[in-house]
Amino acid sequence: MLPEQHRLHRSADFRATTRGGRRVGRRDVVVHVATRRSDVRRDPGGPRVARVGLVVSKAVGPAVTRHRVARRLRHVCASMVADLDPNTDVVVRALVGSATASSSDLDRQLRSALRRLGAFDESPAVPSAFDESSAVPSAFDESPAVPTSGGGPSDR
């Protein structure tokens, strides 16, 4: 399930994202991405998070089909929302083919479109073990962290 704080609700936000952002089309979805200005916040005390909205029109199929497509897209978006840049709004518009597409196809198409639009947050959350700028020695360092000589305090 997509957490409440990561959802687009207001029609003005949908409009701003679809009209003012960039878009990429894939076989079964069209993805719109807009970057929010960092100095504007609806909730000044709230955290900055990426927000996602879904548009599944009647062209996709009857209500049962539309709801199934929306549930699958929400699940896919929930799995990747933590990796998105916190100042982005994303609108995913389902096309007719999304009704018969598998969840893995929708996931692949959505990730491909978001990568193309540069919506993923590129800053690494955890430094890798091979990162030379890391202050913490990794298990792969050849030099020992503590001197191995058996001497006393004068050797340090």
Side-chain angles (χ1 to χ4, degrees):
M1 187 52 109
L2 193 60
E4 182 70 24
Q5 65 187 12
H6 291 287
R7 293 185 190 177
L8 277 177
H9 290 287
R10 298 174 41 217
S11 61
D13 294 335
F14 276 87
R15 195 175 321 109
T17 303
T18 55
R19 292 185 182 166
R22 297 180 331 235
R23 76 168 185 237
V24 168
R26 294 292 181 243
R27 185 182 57 220
D28 301 317
V29 293
V30 176
V31 181
H32 300 264
V33 173
T35 303
R36 291 187 311 270
R37 289 187 9 213
S38 59
D39 60 337
V40 176
R41 274 188 202 189
R42 278 190 64 207
D43 181 15
R48 277 308 238 185
V49 295
R51 299 182 305 173
V52 178
L54 302 176
V55 177
V56 184
S57 73
K58 288 185 179 182
V60 172
V64 172
T65 303
R66 292 194 312 267
H67 288 291
R68 183 173 5 121
V69 168
R71 278 194 309 271
R72 290 183 2 206
L73 285 172
R74 264 195 306 274
H75 179 75
V76 168
C77 290
S79 70
M80 70 180 71
V81 75
D83 299 330
L84 294 174
D85 182 29
N87 289 323
T88 57
D89 285 341
V90 177
V91 172
V92 179
R93 188 165 42 101
L95 299 176
V96 176
S98 62
T100 56
S102 69
S103 293
S104 62
D105 282 342
L106 292 174
D107 182 70
R108 190 172 42 257
Q109 291 178 38
L110 192 54
R111 285 184 188 275
S112 166
L114 289 170
R115 252 191 310 278
R116 174 87 184 248
L117 291 168
F120 285 113
D121 190 7
E122 298 298 327
S123 61
V126 178
S128 94
F130 299 105
D131 187 8
E132 295 176 354
S133 65
S134 175
V136 179
S138 71
F140 301 107
D141 283 346
E142 293 179 17
S143 62
V146 178
T148 56
S149 66
S154 62
D155 287 338
R156 288 189 193 168

